[in-house]
Amino acid sequence: MALQWKTQNFTNLLLFFSFFFTSPISSLQFSINVWPKPRAFNWPHPQATLLSPNFTIISPHRHYLSSAVHRHLRRILTENHSPLLDPSLNISSSAVPLQKLVVKVADLSAPLQNGVNESYTLDISVTGSASLVAATAWGAMRGLETFSQLVWGDPLRVPVGFSLWDAPLFQHRGLMLDTSRNYYGVEDILRTIEAMSMNKLNVFHWHITDSHSFPLVVPSEPELAAKGAYGDDMQYSPEDVRRIIKFGMEHGVRVLPEIDSPGHTGSWALAYPEIVSCANMFWLPAGYQWEDRLASEPGTGHLNPLNPKTYKVLKNVIRDVTTLFPESFYHSGVDEIAPGCWKADPVIKSFLSNGGTLSEVLEIFVNTTFPYIRSLNRTVVYWEDILLDDTVKVRPEFLPREHIILQTWNNGVNNTKRIVSSGYRVIVSSSEYYYLDCGHGDFLGNNSLYDEQANGEYKNGGSWCGPFKTWQTVYDYDITYGLSEEEAKLVLGGEVALWSEQADPTVLDARLWPRASAMAEALWSGNRDETGKKRYAEATDRLNEWRYRMLNRGIGAEPIQPLWCVRNPGMCNTVQEIQ
């Protein structure tokens, strides 16, 4: 796969240099707003033409691609987007109305999987025709989204004499949603996937289960959801899963399931109390030190790796999940093992008293489950804790690099460096930059941290990962910072994450957007201009426009500035550093 990706990048580079030999035109200068910003485009004589009332898209017939073509054609003809600032482009006297967009795809059979080629070129001529040439159907979908954002006004207009080449910098551009702590309906998930596609994100990481609830109906273990879900109306049936996956395919978004274990499994105890240690116990009893906690937050329970029945149930779950989800990655979790939980279990306590260690308990679990997941032809994703935790971790010899990907969430670029320098591929979700739930306080009651007058100091409002991650913080994060060229090749990409202790459908869109859009551009085309300078100032104007367009498309994205700033360009910028 690594060789395939390298070859693909080389091919893309040849396309870039052969297709574009002039400097790209600034999108700000002529108010052409596309998000994420394309890698390179050429527009020597900025002008526009009308879109014909009979405009159509001619494309190869391919199930998911055809669905995307129909969806984008409908949007192009009906959106009538009115920009916040008029582009002030002259309608070309020589260009005829644009009649059609012709889509050509080199490989219609390429599956939607990690590393698939998403490159495309788009050419809009003055002769009434436009062409979109893509390596795969998934690249064609990205190009269709770009074209849809180029159309505006009533009557509809589109730039002409315009060409671009585009491809992502990173192959994995994801969004993680936790549906255990609070439940999200299927429509909420579909709307999120649709917004992801608009932003050229391509992986929906579905953290389905946790200690708080087990909402997924597993056919061979139906009691897990029957007893572990919040209610009969807060479950995901196999039909719901198939609908979500199909919708994802139609939008070029993979659906990556995560069944977290052995920690974060308290909800399993409602169906199988005998396989779960420390279930339903208070998470941090009075007098306990933090290192002896039973969980890192309320909601206790770890699967017991020393109970054979654990694997009977868990393997049923893994088998059914891999049957339901065609995705080649399976996320197995293995984060936040709380030593106190396993120490509270009599069987594990006996194992420890005979010279065993907690890390050996975890290794027993991994050495039993990992081969089974691999036997189902899956690459296994684990959270970084499995390798980097200070107390309970697995030795590298039990974690084959060719079959495992680690997802980092602590300590920023430092942990990314530790992972890639050990030879592992990595997905970056550094909480300091990419955790979108941070900065909203905490959900613990009876917490003196909030009484800041008495404490005499500011405590980030009680949020463990505060402050709030602004879109600028997300946008400016360089996920390969400090890595060598070879180490950077092991960075597959990144994911923003929304943990749901204090989120549910009522705030979903605003928590995600447009901050997830910021990561989407940084991972697609970067956060720097042609000179290497961070382009957050130029991005502000485009993100304002893009947020407004998302609103009109039914995505409840939060504002990033007063409308006054948009109407008065440059007046809300800084011209010097503010201390």
Side-chain angles (χ1 to χ4, degrees):
M1 182 58 70
L3 180 59
Q4 177 185 347
W5 183 249
K6 186 184 299 182
T7 303
Q8 175 184 313
N9 278 344
F10 180 69
T11 302
N12 289 343
L13 197 61
L14 289 178
L15 277 171
F16 171 80
F17 281 115
S18 63
F19 203 83
F20 294 97
F21 47 84
T22 57
S23 299
I25 304 294
S26 165
S27 66
L28 179 62
Q29 183 179 354
F30 295 104
S31 298
I32 292 300
N33 291 289
V34 174
W35 197 280
K37 188 173 185 177
R39 293 281 294 279
F41 60 94
N42 187 31
W43 199 23
H45 305 292
Q47 55 187 331
T49 192
L50 296 176
L51 200 72
S52 169
N54 299 316
F55 174 81
T56 190
I57 300 175
I58 301 171
S59 170
H61 290 289
R62 175 78 174 175
H63 177 56
Y64 298 123
L65 178 58
S66 296
S67 174
V69 167
H70 293 316
R71 182 177 68 252
H72 281 95
L73 180 59
R74 184 170 58 252
R75 175 172 290 157
I76 288 165
L77 295 177
T78 61
E79 189 172 28
N80 294 110
H81 175 66
S82 178
L84 294 172
L85 284 179
D86 192 331
S88 300
L89 277 174
N90 293 325
I91 300 296
S92 171
S93 58
S94 59
V96 298
L98 190 66
Q99 302 286 335
K100 61 185 177 181
L101 171 65
V102 179
V103 179
K104 297 180 181 179
V105 178
D107 183 1
L108 278 170
S109 63
L112 181 60
Q113 62 184 9
N114 181 62
V116 69
N117 191 326
E118 298 174 273
S119 66
Y120 67 93
T121 61
L122 178 63
D123 182 86
I124 308 175
S125 74
V126 296
T127 60
S129 179
S131 66
L132 168 60
V133 180
T136 65
W138 320 109
M141 289 186 189
R142 308 303 174 219
L144 288 168
E145 175 58 43
T146 295
F147 184 85
S148 77
Q149 293 183 34
L150 289 170
V151 179
W152 84 97
D154 188 8
L156 296 170
R157 282 157 280 182
V158 65
V160 290
F162 180 95
S163 301
L164 67 82
W165 170 86
D166 211 5
L169 290 171
F170 292 94
Q171 56 193 288
H172 188 110
R173 307 176 308 282
L175 183 155
M176 192 225 74
L177 181 64
D178 160 26
T179 62
S180 171
R181 291 173 174 88
N182 278 312
Y183 177 82
Y184 297 82
V186 172
E187 295 300 326
D188 299 308
I189 292 174
L190 298 183
R191 187 177 67 257
T192 299
I193 291 174
E194 183 175 24
M196 291 176 64
S197 179
M198 295 175 193
N199 286 272
K200 298 187 175 70
L201 295 175
N202 64 355
V203 181
F204 177 64
H205 172 177
W206 189 359
H207 184 92
I208 311 175
T209 65
D210 211 288
S211 277
H212 306 86
S213 76
F214 196 108
L216 179 67
V217 176
V218 177
S220 64
E221 295 290 353
E223 290 298 289
L224 286 169
K227 295 181 178 179
Y230 285 134
D232 293 343
D233 59 342
M234 297 186 182
Q235 298 179 7
Y236 303 107
S237 69
E239 182 54 39
D240 291 332
V241 172
R242 284 189 284 269
R243 182 184 174 198
I244 290 167
I245 291 170
K246 179 176 181 288
F247 190 86
M249 295 290 287
E250 291 171 345
H251 289 75
V253 176
R254 296 156 49 202
V255 181
L256 165 58
E258 179 185 355
I259 305 295
D260 203 351
S261 63
H264 294 279
T265 49
S267 59
W268 300 50
L270 297 169
Y272 295 105
E274 67 274 23
I275 69 173
V276 183
S277 305
C278 82
N280 299 314
M281 297 177 67
F282 191 72
W283 71 292
L284 188 62
Y288 270 51
Q289 298 299 311
W290 179 253
E291 55 268 21
D292 296 321
R293 66 195 182 280
L294 302 185
S296 293
E297 67 176 29
T300 57
H302 288 13
L303 293 180
N304 182 348
L306 303 185
N307 184 341
K309 187 174 181 180
T310 296
Y311 302 108
K312 178 179 181 298
V313 175
L314 181 55
K315 286 183 178 181
N316 285 340
V317 172
I318 294 171
R319 185 188 65 247
D320 281 5
V321 169
T322 55
T323 299
L324 280 171
F325 292 83
E327 167 59 34
S328 63
F329 289 3
Y330 177 90
H331 204 307
S332 190
V334 190
D335 61 315
E336 293 190 307
I337 300 299
C341 182
W342 275 347
K343 288 179 181 179
D345 186 286
V347 175
I348 298 177
K349 188 174 182 180
S350 175
F351 176 83
L352 298 176
S353 66
N354 288 319
T357 67
L358 292 175
S359 289
E360 288 172 341
V361 173
L362 182 59
E363 287 178 349
I364 290 170
F365 178 85
V366 171
N367 288 339
T368 306
T369 56
F370 173 75
Y372 182 69
I373 302 170
R374 281 293 305 146
S375 75
L376 299 170
N377 197 30
R378 294 298 188 271
T379 296
V380 187
V381 185
Y382 294 117
W383 292 103
E384 63 178 21
D385 312 45
I386 194 172
L387 182 71
L388 302 183
D389 190 82
D390 292 333
T391 306
V392 186
K393 57 188 173 184
V394 174
R395 286 169 288 179
E397 52 262 38
F398 297 125
L399 302 173
R401 291 162 179 80
E402 64 272 23
H403 299 308
I404 285 173
I405 296 167
L406 299 182
Q407 186 162 6
T408 180
W409 62 283
N410 283 303
N411 205 24
V413 295
N414 296 317
N415 277 12
T416 302
K417 177 77 171 180
R418 292 175 65 189
I419 291 169
V420 297
S421 63
S422 297
Y424 291 96
R425 291 169 291 170
V426 66
I427 297 167
V428 177
S429 292
S430 305
S431 57
E432 300 88 348
Y433 302 91
Y434 283 176
Y435 271 28
L436 303 185
D437 52 296
C438 297
H440 290 274
D442 199 76
F443 73 107
L444 299 178
N446 192 31
N447 190 346
S448 62
L449 280 176
Y450 300 110
D451 190 1
E452 293 180 349
Q453 297 90 336
N455 290 335
E457 57 182 299
Y458 181 62
K459 297 286 187 179
N460 273 339
S463 176
W464 75 269
C465 57
F468 179 87
K469 313 308 174 191
T470 66
W471 79 264
Q472 296 100 323
T473 298
V474 176
Y475 190 84
D476 285 338
Y477 186 37
D478 294 324
I479 64 174
T480 59
Y481 180 82
L483 305 183
S484 69
E485 184 177 347
E486 288 303 309
E487 289 172 337
K489 292 177 182 178
L490 293 173
V491 179
L492 300 185
E495 291 179 2
V496 289
L498 182 62
W499 300 99
S500 294
E501 287 91 343
Q502 295 173 289
D504 68 8
T506 64
V507 300
L508 175 62
D509 287 11
R511 292 282 168 88
L512 292 176
W513 312 105
R515 291 185 295 158
S517 304
M519 186 202 71
E521 175 157 301
L523 298 188
W524 180 274
S525 56
N527 55 20
R528 298 175 184 271
D529 63 19
E530 296 78 21
T531 69
K533 182 180 178 181
K534 288 283 182 75
R535 64 184 184 201
Y536 44 81
E538 180 266 350
T540 303
D541 300 284
R542 283 186 298 108
L543 189 56
N544 268 318
E545 186 66 54
W546 177 229
R547 178 258 173 182
Y548 177 61
R549 194 161 196 155
M550 282 197 291
L551 279 179
N552 291 336
R553 291 181 175 187
I555 308 301
E558 67 180 5
I560 65 170
Q561 283 184 326
L563 184 58
W564 184 90
C565 296
V566 183
R567 297 283 171 79
N568 295 271
M571 292 296 285
C572 293
N573 293 337
T574 60
V575 294
Q576 61 187 18
E577 184 176 350
I578 300 175
Q579 300 295 333

